[in-house]
Amino acid sequence: MFSITFDIQKTIQDIMVKYIDVDFTLWLSWLLMPLLITFLLPLIIVLLLYLTALILYIYRLHRVRIQSAYGTDWKIAAQSVAAAIWDAHGWIWHGYEVVGLENIPKNEAAMLIFYHGTIPVDVYYFLAKVVLYNSKLIYTVADRFLFKIPGWSIISDVMRVIPGTVQTCSSILKEENLLAILPGGVYEAQFGDSYYKLLWKKRVGFAKVALDAKVNIIPIFTRNIREAFRTVTWGRRILLRIYAATKFPVVPIYGGFPVKMITYVGKPIPYDESLTPEQLQKKVATAVETLIKEHQQIPGSITRALLERIFSPEKKTY
């Protein structure tokens, strides 16, 4: 009797494995696909950052051979390779382009002001373009929490990413370097939305730096940056309180959508000693808002941004 029962169970199991498992697997894949697309794709950016760190470690480890091969400092060679990787990723995943790259000076200092997306991948792509096309590395101010991430130290060292005080930033500009700042910071990244309103509050630090260093400011905005990655909208009040207390990004991110991205580089805002930091901040904010109004349909749409991969709104780009 036991033998017959065992045979029946085995037969049923064989049938399930042969005829049901495939369908169940397909169903499970279909069920989990939205989760994979929306929450796991952002990991691509994390993996790319660590790939960049790995490449930089390799260049540092073999700097003698690389210097012999290229006749230059290992960091410069590593910067070019890292830039090529990010440029390729931007072109493949987002059809990334730049309009107005000629507004970036090649032989003088300037401050570049960006709108802060949920994940500022546009800044990574843009920095890569400038390294490849202008042969110039841009110093970038990043939030302090990034410097606590394992593996970030070599990226910040080689790619010139700094926490950024007024004195440090001013010194960098006075040495005739380019400096990129995202005034909205993590707050704008976490709590901004597809309406693209600036969330700069009363931050005037960048204006103080520009006035002290006597440099021009270049406003920059990337079309569809909010459609590539987004933050969840539920529990905003609680998350806002947590962020206010910890200054650590706590809002869940989803996305990684291969939307069309175009970075628009505005005309330089000349140094004007008659302006106060507050007045200059408002002037720069107006310039960025103008770029948003001219080049971004409000509210942003993921579907429309995906269709722009086929029907691009721009023709002459880098």
Side-chain angles (χ1 to χ4, degrees), residues 10-262:
K10 189 175 185 307
T11 301
I12 293 174
Q13 289 176 353
D14 290 342
I15 293 173
M16 291 180 66
V17 170
K18 185 175 182 179
Y19 297 103
I20 298 178
D21 267 11
V22 173
D23 292 337
F24 175 77
T25 302
L26 292 174
W27 174 82
L28 191 62
S29 300
W30 171 84
L31 180 66
L32 296 178
M33 188 58 68
L35 180 65
L36 293 172
I37 292 175
T38 57
F39 287 98
L40 294 185
L41 280 179
L43 291 178
I44 293 175
I45 300 301
V46 176
L47 292 175
L48 199 58
L49 283 170
Y50 276 96
L51 177 60
T52 301
L54 176 62
I55 291 172
L56 298 180
Y57 274 119
I58 291 172
Y59 268 77
R60 184 170 68 180
L61 181 64
H62 300 287
R63 58 185 178 276
V64 175
R65 295 186 181 89
I66 293 172
Q67 286 174 348
S68 177
Y70 293 100
T72 186
D73 184 80
W74 72 270
K75 291 184 180 180
I76 297 177
Q79 289 162 5
S80 298
V81 173
I85 292 173
W86 280 97
D87 188 62
H89 182 273
W91 176 67
I92 293 170
W93 198 249
H94 294 290
Y96 181 73
E97 301 174 75
V98 177
V99 176
L101 190 61
E102 64 276 5
N103 292 329
I104 302 297
K106 295 184 179 180
N107 300 310
E108 61 183 56
M111 179 182 290
L112 315 180
I113 297 297
F114 287 80
Y115 170 83
H116 203 312
T118 303
I119 297 181
V121 289
D122 58 323
V123 178
Y124 310 153
Y125 299 147
F126 183 80
L127 298 182
K129 286 285 187 187
V130 174
V131 168
L132 295 174
Y133 283 86
N134 290 9
S135 299
K136 194 172 182 68
L137 185 67
I138 300 175
Y139 283 76
T140 308
V141 175
D143 196 275
R144 294 182 183 278
F145 86 90
L146 286 173
F147 298 88
K148 300 177 182 178
I149 299 176
W152 183 260
S153 60
I154 190 169
I155 295 179
S156 60
D157 176 40
V158 177
M159 305 307 291
R160 301 293 188 267
V161 182
I162 60 174
T165 63
V166 172
Q167 293 75 18
T168 302
C169 292
S170 182
S171 298
I172 289 172
L173 290 169
K174 288 177 180 178
E175 293 172 359
E176 297 192 349
N177 293 297
L178 297 174
L179 177 67
I181 297 179
L182 292 75
V186 176
Y187 180 80
E188 187 171 71
Q190 293 271 281
F191 301 102
D193 55 30
S194 59
Y195 285 87
Y196 289 88
K197 292 182 179 180
L198 299 187
L199 302 178
W200 293 4
K201 296 185 176 181
K202 296 182 179 180
R203 296 181 178 180
V204 296
F206 75 91
K208 292 179 180 179
V209 170
L211 291 173
D212 182 65
K214 298 179 173 59
V215 296
N216 298 339
I217 296 179
I218 302 174
I220 300 176
F221 169 72
T222 300
R223 182 186 182 96
N224 297 325
I225 184 61
R226 279 279 166 190
E227 279 56 72
F229 294 94
R230 287 188 174 178
T231 53
V232 298
T233 56
W234 47 264
R236 277 291 176 94
R237 291 185 179 181
I238 296 176
L239 294 173
L240 185 57
R241 290 179 181 178
I242 296 174
Y243 172 75
T246 64
K247 300 302 180 183
F248 193 83
V250 293
V251 181
I253 296 172
Y254 68 96
F257 304 112
V259 300
K260 180 67 178 181
M261 277 192 195
I262 303 176

